[in-house]
């Protein structure tokens, strides 16, 4: 089962949120039939969105991440709720690229870096907060670190990884966001940096030990105290009513076309592939 652990250093200056997201990433892969490199791109973004979403305190809050780097994978959209449950899709799930010389999946090339990472935080009241940064590399973790630095002015380091098996299923996925809180003493940032370098690939730790060892490694020397532990999953919030409302809100010309055709309307949820079919009578009520 996927989970998030949040911890803070004993001095209160360093916070970390760690996620293990193998199951939700595998679910995304099954739904969208993604190639390994797209599974990695989407999986890293799902992990990031889950951690950021779970930091939004209000129960009705939601987070939408849009990454549009101009690469062959196309635009990626991920939505998280305030418990960290996520859903997402990518424009070209079948985009494929050769691996890098290092043997790693070339996520940066698949996503591209000619575009923006944008984050919309909707707290269910007033105007949503939105921030955007130019993509740094399309490798996702660096791009989110830039987002935190520019849009939220929080010094952060992130790592996200997805390990894909030879049969294309997800072996391990997850990552962390580590942040320095206001008033952090000199020298602490260097210690954090050293830990990060020592940790190496997050998927190695997640696949062998899970989230707790990752917290301990990233927070080595900081006597971390666990604040919160919670389960997360791939979860879509679509339903018939929402899709019926969407059909009803089409413009007049499109509705006329549907009426002229006289056939039921089939809609498909981009996030979970659920299909909803509406007989003409069902929305004839709305047409009046
Ligand atoms: Zn859905």
């Amino acid at each position: 089962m996927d989970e998030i652990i949040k911890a803070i250093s004993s001095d209160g200056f360093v916070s970390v949120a760690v996620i293990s997201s193998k199951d939700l990433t595998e679910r995304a892969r099954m739904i969208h039939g993604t190639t390994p490199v797209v599974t990695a791109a989407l999986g890293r973004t799902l992990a990031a969105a889950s951690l950021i979403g779970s930091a939004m305190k209000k129960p009705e809050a939601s987070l939408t991440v849009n990454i549009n780097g101009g690469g062959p994978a196309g635009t990626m959209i991920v939505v998280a709720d305030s418990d960290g449950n996520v859903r997402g899709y990518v424009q070209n799930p079948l985009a494929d690229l050769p691996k890098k010389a290092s043997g790693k999946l070339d996520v940066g090339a698949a996503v591209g870096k000619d575009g923006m990472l944008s984050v919309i935080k909707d707290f269910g009241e007033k105007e949503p907060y939105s921030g955007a940064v130019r993509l740094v590399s399309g490798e996702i973790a660096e791009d989110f670190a830039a987002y935190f630095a520019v849009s939220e002015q929080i010094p952060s380091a992130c790592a996200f990884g997805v390990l894909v098996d030879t049969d294309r299923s997800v072996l391990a996925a997850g990552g962390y966001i580590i942040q320095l809180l206001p008033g952090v003493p000199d020298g602490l940032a260097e210690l954090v940096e050293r830990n990060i370098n020592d940790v190496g690939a997050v998927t190695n730790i997640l696949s062998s030990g899970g989230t707790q060892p990752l917290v301990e490694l990233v927070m080595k020397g900081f006597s971390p105290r666990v604040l919160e532990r919670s389960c997360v999953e791939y979860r879509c919030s679509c339903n018939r009513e929402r899709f019926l409302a969407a059909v009803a809100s089409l413009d007049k010309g499109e509705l006329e076309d549907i009426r002229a055709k006289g056939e039921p309307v089939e809609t498909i949820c981009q996030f979970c592939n659920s299909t909803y079919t509406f007989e003409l009578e069902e929305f004839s009520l709305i047409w009046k």
Side-chain angles (χ1 to χ4, degrees):
M1 185 150 40
D2 294 336
E3 69 165 358
I4 289 177
I5 298 187
K6 291 175 186 167
I8 192 157
S9 60
S10 57
D11 61 11
F13 288 121
V14 187
S15 78
V16 70
V18 167
I19 182 171
S20 168
S21 52
K22 176 193 163 184
D23 293 348
L24 68 88
T25 307
E26 174 64 3
R27 176 108 166 82
R29 181 189 77 87
M30 296 290 279
I31 290 169
H32 301 296
T34 44
T35 58
V37 71
V38 177
T39 304
L42 185 57
R44 290 179 190 182
T45 310
L46 286 164
S50 176
L51 290 180
I52 302 170
S54 74
M56 295 170 76
K57 303 285 178 223
K58 276 183 152 266
E60 65 274 30
S62 72
L63 173 93
T64 304
V65 172
N66 181 319
I67 294 178
N68 186 356
T75 301
M76 207 156 40
I77 309 277
V78 169
V79 178
D81 67 23
S82 61
D83 291 322
N85 299 304
V86 280
R87 58 189 187 271
Y89 65 87
V90 58
Q91 204 176 357
N92 303 314
L94 302 180
D96 212 355
L97 285 167
K99 284 185 178 176
K100 293 189 214 178
S102 61
K104 288 192 172 162
L105 295 164
D106 201 346
V107 173
V111 172
K113 56 180 179 180
D114 186 19
M116 309 292 288
L117 158 68
S118 78
V119 174
I120 297 169
K121 287 182 172 177
D122 190 343
F123 291 92
E125 55 180 25
K126 299 182 232 155
E127 282 288 287
Y129 159 87
S130 78
V133 286
R134 291 211 69 80
L135 290 166
V136 177
S137 64
E139 291 277 345
I140 310 301
E142 281 179 307
D143 305 300
F144 275 100
Y147 163 78
F148 283 118
V150 175
S151 283
E152 302 203 359
Q153 272 108 45
I154 306 170
S156 312
C158 318
F160 301 109
V162 175
L163 190 62
V164 181
D165 205 351
T166 45
D167 68 358
R168 295 195 162 197
S169 66
V170 176
L171 273 175
Y176 61 80
I177 298 174
I178 186 163
Q179 300 191 313
L180 301 179
L181 304 175
V184 64
D186 288 345
L188 222 63
E190 286 72 28
L191 286 177
V192 171
E193 214 165 297
R194 197 166 64 198
N195 282 357
I196 290 167
N197 288 332
D198 290 348
V199 168
V202 289
T203 46
N204 288 346
I205 297 148
L206 289 169
S207 62
S208 60
T211 39
Q212 188 68 41
L214 188 52
V215 170
E216 279 155 24
L217 282 169
V218 174
M219 296 288 264
K220 200 172 138 198
F222 292 108
S223 319
R225 185 162 55 89
V226 171
L227 300 174
E228 201 184 312
R229 247 191 145 106
S230 57
C231 293
V232 290
E233 63 179 12
Y234 193 99
R235 188 184 291 175
C236 191
S237 60
C238 68
N239 58 44
R240 273 188 78 77
E241 289 66 38
R242 221 172 269 186
F243 274 91
L244 182 59
V247 173
S249 67
L250 292 172
D251 69 43
K252 223 174 164 186
E254 286 171 300
L255 285 173
E256 283 303 326
D257 287 347
I258 291 171
R259 204 202 301 244
K261 257 189 171 172
E263 284 166 12
V265 178
E266 189 180 86
T267 57
I268 300 171
C269 176
Q270 286 179 292
F271 291 103
C272 71
N273 277 352
S274 293
T275 60
Y276 299 95
T277 308
F278 300 101
E279 300 299 328
L280 283 184
E281 305 83 70
E282 273 187 271
F283 44 99
S284 63
L285 294 164
I286 303 164
W287 277 343
K288 282 183 208 149

